[in-house]
Amino acid sequence: MNRRMNLFLALFLAFILVLLFPVFIHTALYQNMYAIIKEDTLHSNQAVLNQIDQVIDSRLREVEQMAVQLSYHPKIQQMLNRNDAVENWVPTYEQYAEIMDLLVQPVNKNELMHDYYVYFRQQGAIVTPFIKTDPGTFYRNYYTYQDLSQAEWIKALSQVGANAFYLPAMEMRENSSRSTERFLTYIHPFPAADWGASKGALVILIKESRLRSMLAHIIAPMEGKFIITDKNHLVLATSTDILRDELTLVSDHNLRAGANDFVRTSDGEEFMMTSIASEENDWVYYSLVPKAIFMSKVNRVQVWALSLLFICLCFGICGAFMFAKIFYKPVHKLVHYIQKNRNLNKGEYADEYRLIEETILKSWDSEKELQNMLSRQTPAIQANLLSRLLKGLVDPDSLSAEAFAHMGIRFESARFAVAVIDIEDCSTFPDMETERRWAIIRDILTNICREFVNHNHTSYVLEMDRNRLAVLINVRTEPDHKAMAELESALGQAMQFLSAKFGMMTSLGIGDIHHGFSEIGTCYEEALQALEYRIIAGKGHLIRYTDLQHADPQYFYPIDVELQLMNSIKNGDFAAADRLLDTIYAMNFQSRSISLELGKCLYFNMVSTLLRIWNDLSRRIVIEGLGADFNPLKRVSECNTVADMHEEMKAIYKAICLSVSAAQKDPGGRLADDIARYIEEHYADNSLSLNSISEAFGLTPQYVSHYFKRWKGQNLGDFMAKIRVGQAKRLLRDNALTLNQIAEAVGYANDAVLIRVFKKFETVTPGKYRESAFQEAP
């Protein structure tokens, strides 16, 4: 048998065992029911016997009373006593007649009594209510026992003893009617003495048929039989004509009063026998109910029970087979899939359950390993999801609460706020490897934010940059203004704790509270805008997006003020320029608050003013402290706040003013201008050089070169080249001129020198410049 059949058979036998359990219960209930029915039948039989006992005892009591009355009657006593007093005394006919008259009176007083007579032993006479005769004549002509001879009959009448007794029911031929019936003979000795032979006896004949008819209505519902015995188990009467069987039955079982059992007759029929003993006459009454009648109810129940049991077994076995097949089918499929996926043959595994167990254990191990990997990756996955959620890269409707929970994210409400924190200064933090240092700083900041915020809300901290964290806050408190006050308090305490404990300076921007997952991106944008406002508010502040909503829509920087600033710088009056710069800063950032956008616009305007001043003056004078490669735009752009930009502009303007003032006091500035004008006038002369210019002004070449660079901020040669290139660009627009002609016109010996110088300053050749110039022309 293959493994499939082994497993299928195991399932089938298991269901059969389950089926046998109710079968065993059914059998036990049947046995219990059988015992209950038997006990009920016994109780019923016992009740019937009690009723028989009461009926028969009452009738026999009447018989005994009659016998006692007659035994003590004077005439009976006179007859018996004369026999003792007068030897060979013979009673007269009249005396017998008196006895006969005495016997006539109680004839119909008891329905059981068929006939009765008196036996006088000494006289050898039998006296009935109608005749007087001798025992032999009486035995032959009146009542002849079939199973009892005359001698045995006379011996019974003369029995020694004082107690009355009964002869068993026997067949007796009644000669007067020529019929044979069974009679029960009651013999009451005369006189009632317990010594010597009796002098006579009262004999009462009781028809067994009358006894049967009397008990028929009692025993009939039981469809049974009864037996009456004396205390010596001698059968006195029976309800059936099969007397010999009942006599054998009682004799074989040696029954006594109270015995209850099943007995079997000689013909094989079984009866339930119940007995009871009479307390008055020492009779024992036996009730025999045929087992077939007793078992009829049991048999009907048994037939139904066995039929139902057979049906249940049939359906149960079929059901067990079907269920075993149904339950085995998924196991078989699962084993088939496992075999297919693992490329196994049937002989390569012990059994199906073992194969499934091994596969499940391996799957569990793989699942645990995967869960461990996921648990290690969960923070990164969570951070990635929240980061994309903040940036609006995730559709919130596509994520369910289960998806968030799977990543360790649990939102208790649909109300959110976002705070963005920048670490401005952590110089006091212990020095260590850079990345490790920043990782520790971010961990500290993350834990502190969670500690303060999670008292009333739920927060998730994300790393957005090396020195920037975003805090996504799931707001639980209502209403919004109360929740915002709690958030500002918690985040402010976190900033103070970082400053006091670790010496960190942080800037924080927080957006408004919004409702719904789709608004998380809006919260983040608002927090970023609030954080950017630190350019105006300064570092180390907590900035609310709400505050930006109430900013002044205009900034202070009129044209006349700009012109005053430019004139003050060009005149070298830094005191006036300083006052103007302070006024501009105070009007925009101290006496009122402008928006971040307007702050940026003001920033660009003031930088534009600085560039115009720088471009104008840096060509004419040498600004001390600021080299030729100085870039004012870069210098100002590197400022983090408006206050820093304000101070940086002051420093640049101060340097310019000092240089302007020095240039006004030094005539070298005018000499440089004169040299520049001389070059502009003589650029076409190919002999123009540092030496020719020095000779024209009566100065040494070294002095001219030094002062020109000092006041103009560039070499004299570069200045000459720029003038000549500028004139060449103008001439290149005339397509009739060749490059060589243009080179000679601007002071170069040939076009090669022009091409080299032109490309140095314009980054393209003269030919390319001419092509682009004509293409741009309308």
Side-chain angles (χ1 to χ4, degrees), residues 59-60 104 130 137 155 186 193 255 273 299 327 377 472 527 532 535 539 541 573 588 593 628 638 640 679-680 753:
R59 297 296 184 269
L60 294 181
V104 171
F130 306 104
T137 302
K155 182 179 178 181
Y186 173 74
L255 295 176
M273 180 174 286
N299 290 335
F327 282 111
Q377 297 297 327
L472 175 61
E532 289 183 10
I535 296 175
K539 299 178 181 179
H541 291 84
D573 187 0
N588 288 285
S593 177
E638 290 176 351
N640 293 320
I679 294 173
E680 290 173 353
V753 179

Short mmCIF file of all heavy atoms in Angstrom, two decimals, residues 59-60 104 130 137 155 186 193 255 273 299 327 377 472 527 532 535 539 541 573 588 593 628 638 640 679-680 753:
data_model
loop_
_atom_site.label_atom_id
_atom_site.label_comp_id
_atom_site.label_asym_id
_atom_site.label_seq_id
_atom_site.Cartn_x
_atom_site.Cartn_y
_atom_site.Cartn_z
N ARG A 59 -60.24 -14.90 50.45
CA ARG A 59 -61.14 -16.02 50.23
C ARG A 59 -60.74 -17.21 51.12
O ARG A 59 -61.60 -17.89 51.72
CB ARG A 59 -61.11 -16.47 48.76
CG ARG A 59 -61.60 -15.41 47.81
CD ARG A 59 -63.10 -15.09 48.05
NE ARG A 59 -63.61 -14.16 47.08
CZ ARG A 59 -63.61 -12.85 47.23
NH1 ARG A 59 -63.09 -12.35 48.34
NH2 ARG A 59 -64.12 -12.07 46.31
N LEU A 60 -59.47 -17.50 51.23
CA LEU A 60 -59.02 -18.61 52.06
C LEU A 60 -59.30 -18.33 53.53
O LEU A 60 -59.52 -19.26 54.33
CB LEU A 60 -57.53 -18.86 51.84
CG LEU A 60 -57.12 -19.35 50.45
CD1 LEU A 60 -55.63 -19.58 50.38
CD2 LEU A 60 -57.87 -20.63 50.10
N VAL A 104 -75.52 -27.97 55.47
CA VAL A 104 -76.26 -27.35 54.38
C VAL A 104 -76.18 -25.83 54.44
O VAL A 104 -76.11 -25.12 53.44
CB VAL A 104 -77.73 -27.82 54.38
CG1 VAL A 104 -78.54 -27.01 53.37
CG2 VAL A 104 -77.81 -29.28 54.05
N PHE A 130 -75.80 -33.80 51.85
CA PHE A 130 -76.93 -34.51 51.28
C PHE A 130 -76.92 -36.01 51.56
O PHE A 130 -77.94 -36.65 51.50
CB PHE A 130 -76.97 -34.30 49.76
CG PHE A 130 -76.95 -32.84 49.37
CD1 PHE A 130 -75.79 -32.25 48.89
CD2 PHE A 130 -78.10 -32.07 49.51
CE1 PHE A 130 -75.76 -30.92 48.54
CE2 PHE A 130 -78.07 -30.74 49.16
CZ PHE A 130 -76.91 -30.15 48.67
N THR A 137 -67.25 -46.11 49.41
CA THR A 137 -68.36 -45.80 48.50
C THR A 137 -68.25 -44.36 48.01
O THR A 137 -68.46 -44.06 46.84
CB THR A 137 -69.70 -46.01 49.22
OG1 THR A 137 -69.77 -47.37 49.69
CG2 THR A 137 -70.86 -45.73 48.30
N LYS A 155 -55.52 -41.94 54.00
CA LYS A 155 -54.35 -41.62 54.83
C LYS A 155 -54.20 -40.11 54.99
O LYS A 155 -53.85 -39.62 56.06
CB LYS A 155 -53.10 -42.21 54.16
CG LYS A 155 -51.83 -41.97 54.95
CD LYS A 155 -50.63 -42.59 54.25
CE LYS A 155 -49.35 -42.30 55.04
NZ LYS A 155 -48.17 -42.89 54.35
N TYR A 186 -58.75 -28.94 50.60
CA TYR A 186 -58.39 -28.34 51.88
C TYR A 186 -58.84 -29.29 52.99
O TYR A 186 -60.01 -29.67 53.05
CB TYR A 186 -59.07 -26.98 52.04
CG TYR A 186 -58.88 -26.35 53.40
CD1 TYR A 186 -57.66 -25.79 53.76
CD2 TYR A 186 -59.93 -26.32 54.31
CE1 TYR A 186 -57.52 -25.20 55.00
CE2 TYR A 186 -59.78 -25.73 55.55
CZ TYR A 186 -58.57 -25.17 55.90
OH TYR A 186 -58.42 -24.59 57.14
N ALA A 193 -55.71 -30.67 67.57
CA ALA A 193 -54.69 -31.09 68.52
C ALA A 193 -53.45 -31.47 67.76
O ALA A 193 -53.51 -31.84 66.58
CB ALA A 193 -55.20 -32.27 69.34
N LEU A 255 -37.47 -22.76 43.94
CA LEU A 255 -37.77 -21.34 44.16
C LEU A 255 -38.29 -21.11 45.56
O LEU A 255 -38.92 -21.97 46.15
CB LEU A 255 -38.80 -20.87 43.13
CG LEU A 255 -38.32 -20.89 41.68
CD1 LEU A 255 -39.46 -20.51 40.76
CD2 LEU A 255 -37.15 -19.95 41.49
N MET A 273 -39.96 -15.07 36.10
CA MET A 273 -40.66 -15.55 37.28
C MET A 273 -40.47 -14.56 38.42
O MET A 273 -39.35 -14.18 38.74
CB MET A 273 -40.17 -16.94 37.69
CG MET A 273 -40.86 -17.50 38.93
SD MET A 273 -40.36 -19.21 39.27
CE MET A 273 -41.23 -20.06 37.99
N ASN A 299 -38.01 -5.87 22.05
CA ASN A 299 -37.71 -6.29 20.69
C ASN A 299 -38.07 -5.20 19.68
O ASN A 299 -37.35 -4.98 18.70
CB ASN A 299 -38.45 -7.58 20.36
CG ASN A 299 -37.89 -8.77 21.13
OD1 ASN A 299 -36.73 -8.76 21.54
ND2 ASN A 299 -38.70 -9.78 21.35
N PHE A 327 -10.93 15.47 3.19
CA PHE A 327 -9.83 16.01 4.01
C PHE A 327 -8.47 15.62 3.43
O PHE A 327 -7.50 16.35 3.64
CB PHE A 327 -9.95 15.52 5.45
CG PHE A 327 -10.98 16.26 6.25
CD1 PHE A 327 -12.15 15.63 6.64
CD2 PHE A 327 -10.79 17.58 6.59
CE1 PHE A 327 -13.11 16.29 7.37
CE2 PHE A 327 -11.75 18.26 7.31
CZ PHE A 327 -12.91 17.63 7.71
N GLN A 377 15.26 46.57 8.55
CA GLN A 377 15.07 47.57 7.51
C GLN A 377 13.87 48.47 7.75
O GLN A 377 13.69 49.46 7.02
CB GLN A 377 14.89 46.86 6.15
CG GLN A 377 16.08 46.05 5.69
CD GLN A 377 17.30 46.91 5.45
OE1 GLN A 377 17.18 48.06 5.03
NE2 GLN A 377 18.48 46.37 5.74
N LEU A 472 7.26 64.82 11.84
CA LEU A 472 5.85 64.66 11.46
C LEU A 472 5.07 64.37 12.74
O LEU A 472 5.32 63.39 13.42
CB LEU A 472 5.69 63.52 10.46
CG LEU A 472 4.25 63.16 10.08
CD1 LEU A 472 3.55 64.34 9.44
CD2 LEU A 472 4.24 61.96 9.14
N ALA A 527 6.30 74.44 6.86
CA ALA A 527 7.41 74.41 7.82
C ALA A 527 8.71 74.88 7.17
O ALA A 527 9.50 75.61 7.79
CB ALA A 527 7.57 73.00 8.39
N GLU A 532 12.83 79.08 6.41
CA GLU A 532 13.57 80.00 5.56
C GLU A 532 13.48 81.44 6.06
O GLU A 532 14.34 82.27 5.78
CB GLU A 532 13.05 79.92 4.12
CG GLU A 532 13.42 78.62 3.41
CD GLU A 532 12.94 78.61 1.97
OE1 GLU A 532 12.50 79.67 1.49
OE2 GLU A 532 13.02 77.55 1.35
N ILE A 535 16.27 83.83 7.68
CA ILE A 535 17.11 84.83 7.01
C ILE A 535 16.78 86.21 7.55
O ILE A 535 17.66 87.07 7.71
CB ILE A 535 16.90 84.77 5.48
CG1 ILE A 535 17.35 83.42 4.94
CG2 ILE A 535 17.64 85.89 4.79
CD1 ILE A 535 17.05 83.22 3.47
N LYS A 539 19.02 83.26 13.39
CA LYS A 539 19.18 81.88 13.81
C LYS A 539 18.75 81.70 15.27
O LYS A 539 18.70 82.66 16.04
CB LYS A 539 20.64 81.45 13.66
CG LYS A 539 21.17 81.51 12.23
CD LYS A 539 22.62 81.11 12.18
CE LYS A 539 23.18 81.16 10.77
NZ LYS A 539 24.61 80.80 10.72
N HIS A 541 15.82 80.60 16.45
CA HIS A 541 14.45 80.98 16.78
C HIS A 541 13.47 79.90 16.33
O HIS A 541 13.74 79.14 15.41
CB HIS A 541 14.07 82.30 16.10
CG HIS A 541 14.78 83.49 16.65
ND1 HIS A 541 16.04 83.85 16.24
CD2 HIS A 541 14.41 84.41 17.59
CE1 HIS A 541 16.44 84.92 16.88
NE2 HIS A 541 15.46 85.29 17.71
N ASP A 573 31.61 109.40 2.02
CA ASP A 573 31.01 109.78 3.32
C ASP A 573 30.39 108.53 3.95
O ASP A 573 29.20 108.24 3.78
CB ASP A 573 29.98 110.87 3.09
CG ASP A 573 29.45 111.43 4.41
OD1 ASP A 573 29.90 110.97 5.49
OD2 ASP A 573 28.55 112.31 4.36
N ASN A 588 12.65 98.07 7.95
CA ASN A 588 12.14 96.81 7.39
C ASN A 588 12.11 95.66 8.38
O ASN A 588 11.23 94.79 8.29
CB ASN A 588 12.98 96.41 6.18
CG ASN A 588 12.74 97.29 4.97
OD1 ASN A 588 11.71 97.19 4.31
ND2 ASN A 588 13.68 98.19 4.69
N SER A 593 7.64 93.88 10.34
CA SER A 593 8.11 92.59 9.81
C SER A 593 7.59 92.43 8.40
O SER A 593 6.39 92.56 8.14
CB SER A 593 7.60 91.43 10.69
OG SER A 593 7.99 90.21 10.14
N ALA A 628 41.77 92.62 -6.31
CA ALA A 628 41.15 92.69 -7.64
C ALA A 628 40.20 91.54 -7.89
O ALA A 628 39.26 91.64 -8.67
CB ALA A 628 42.25 92.71 -8.71
N GLU A 638 26.93 84.74 0.78
CA GLU A 638 27.31 83.76 1.79
C GLU A 638 26.75 84.07 3.17
O GLU A 638 26.86 83.25 4.08
CB GLU A 638 28.84 83.67 1.86
CG GLU A 638 29.45 83.02 0.63
CD GLU A 638 30.97 83.04 0.68
OE1 GLU A 638 31.52 83.71 1.60
OE2 GLU A 638 31.60 82.39 -0.17
N ASN A 640 24.03 84.28 6.05
CA ASN A 640 22.89 83.41 6.37
C ASN A 640 21.64 84.19 6.73
O ASN A 640 20.53 83.69 6.57
CB ASN A 640 23.24 82.48 7.53
CG ASN A 640 24.31 81.48 7.14
OD1 ASN A 640 24.30 80.95 6.03
ND2 ASN A 640 25.26 81.23 8.04
N ILE A 679 45.50 106.92 -23.80
CA ILE A 679 45.43 105.62 -24.51
C ILE A 679 44.23 105.60 -25.43
O ILE A 679 44.30 105.09 -26.56
CB ILE A 679 45.38 104.46 -23.49
CG1 ILE A 679 46.71 104.39 -22.72
CG2 ILE A 679 45.09 103.14 -24.18
CD1 ILE A 679 46.68 103.40 -21.59
N GLU A 680 43.07 106.08 -24.97
CA GLU A 680 41.86 106.08 -25.77
C GLU A 680 42.05 106.94 -27.04
O GLU A 680 41.43 106.67 -28.08
CB GLU A 680 40.69 106.60 -24.95
CG GLU A 680 40.26 105.65 -23.85
CD GLU A 680 39.20 106.26 -22.95
OE1 GLU A 680 38.88 107.45 -23.08
OE2 GLU A 680 38.67 105.50 -22.07
N VAL A 753 48.11 89.00 -34.48
CA VAL A 753 48.13 89.56 -33.13
C VAL A 753 46.71 89.88 -32.68
O VAL A 753 46.31 89.66 -31.53
CB VAL A 753 49.05 90.80 -33.09
CG1 VAL A 753 49.05 91.42 -31.71
CG2 VAL A 753 50.46 90.47 -33.53
#
